Amino acid sequence: MKSSRREFLKRTGVGAVSLGILDAELLHAAEQAPRDIPQVYAPRPLKPSALTMDGISKRTMEEHYKLYVGYVNKSNEILDALKTVDYAKANQTYSSLRVLKVELTFAVGGVKNHEIYFDHLGGKGGRPEGRILGHIARDFGSYEAWEKDLKATGLAARGWVWLAYDADRGRLFNYLGDAQNTFPVWNAIPLLALDTYEHAYFLDYATDRKSYIEAFMRNLDWSAVEQRFAQIPHLK
Ligand SMILES: [Fe+2]
């Protein structure tokens, strides 16, 4: 494992200096082991506009994309391993079934979270329009209040912030998650995903996460968020 970590760092050019600040997500992706397995999940391509942003560098996005591909590969690998797992040895303290099922949520979470993130970057920022703006104003008081809450939640999170629509309550809320698989609540549909793991900004901003969040907002493609919102059935 140590050599694969070193190889990954060398390959990505992150460098040994950064080893101390690399988070668990990066190390998970470094452990990917390509195999000839069925591709249930397939990586979506990065939009060209996401590589020419003001404030989030091409290098950061390219390295970040590699992590996403790692989650895709691991999701496929775990699903394949579940086909031959020994169900007779299922155990809550330790068992292969337990490990695979727990880590599947981490891997698939990594896929889904990053697909939302990459999909709505490469835009021109500003404000949303139409229906979602009305819902934001209704549920947060104003657009400014929503943005203030999102930014502050971004500083409080260790992994992700999602603007999501709780289909049961019929309300928007900025949820916080500390890892790929700490989903906030059932039936909350994510519309916007702010990645607050260090790998999303450390190359550009070191520890200045606040400036990264400002850059994230400047490059947000609200049309992608609006599109996700429009797909929610039975909006309240
Ligand atoms: Fe990420």
Side-chain angles (χ1 to χ4, degrees):
M1 164 158 173
K2 280 185 179 172
S3 65
S4 69
R5 264 171 64 169
R6 269 196 298 274
E7 274 175 27
F8 177 78
L9 294 170
K10 190 178 170 187
R11 197 169 67 246
T12 59
V14 172
V17 173
S18 304
L19 189 60
I21 54 84
L22 288 174
D23 50 46
E25 189 184 15
L26 183 56
L27 297 180
H28 265 267
E31 291 162 16
Q32 59 185 283
R35 290 169 49 200
D36 185 20
I37 55 176
Q39 301 296 295
V40 177
Y41 290 92
R44 295 181 186 170
L46 206 51
K47 291 188 296 189
S49 61
L51 292 171
T52 55
M53 292 191 286
D54 163 34
I56 303 177
S57 67
K58 181 171 181 280
R59 168 105 188 274
T60 287
M61 292 300 284
E62 286 173 341
E63 297 302 332
H64 204 162
Y65 185 76
K66 290 177 191 172
L67 298 182
Y68 158 64
V69 173
Y71 288 122
V72 171
N73 290 339
K74 280 297 176 190
S75 297
N76 290 329
E77 187 179 333
I78 293 169
L79 286 174
D80 192 52
L82 278 167
K83 292 175 189 169
T84 54
V85 73
D86 189 349
Y87 281 87
K89 290 184 178 175
N91 180 279
Q92 66 177 9
T93 303
Y94 168 75
S95 61
S96 297
L97 180 60
R98 177 185 160 74
V99 170
L100 290 170
K101 291 230 168 177
V102 168
E103 300 309 337
L104 180 66
T105 66
F106 196 93
V108 173
V111 172
K112 297 193 177 197
N113 290 329
H114 285 99
E115 286 180 351
I116 300 170
Y117 180 79
F118 291 135
D119 184 52
H120 63 28
L121 276 180
K124 296 187 168 141
R127 288 171 172 232
E129 293 176 354
R131 214 169 172 189
I132 193 169
L133 182 58
H135 277 74
I136 286 173
R138 183 195 70 179
D139 297 341
F140 292 89
S142 66
Y143 173 83
E144 289 75 17
W146 167 78
E147 190 174 303
K148 184 180 174 187
D149 184 88
L150 182 91
K151 290 177 177 175
T153 309
L155 295 177
R158 296 172 187 165
W160 289 92
V161 179
W162 300 276
L163 167 64
Y165 178 78
D166 181 339
D168 298 325
R169 284 188 64 222
R171 290 289 182 273
L172 294 168
F173 191 81
N174 290 325
Y175 293 98
L176 182 156
D178 282 338
Q180 302 294 354
N181 54 355
T182 51
F183 302 120
V185 292
W186 287 113
N187 289 335
I189 303 160
L191 307 169
L192 178 154
L194 167 60
D195 194 338
T196 63
Y197 275 98
E198 283 87 351
H199 65 246
Y201 61 87
F202 208 89
L203 286 171
D204 297 327
Y205 296 100
T207 58
D208 183 9
R209 187 190 293 180
K210 199 171 178 184
S211 292
Y212 155 69
I213 293 174
E214 294 291 343
F216 172 86
M217 296 303 297
R218 284 201 305 278
N219 291 285
L220 196 54
D221 179 0
W222 275 108
S223 67
V225 181
E226 288 159 6
Q227 202 173 343
R228 294 181 70 81
F229 190 61
Q231 288 170 354
I232 298 175
H234 313 303
L235 272 174
K236 292 177 184 173

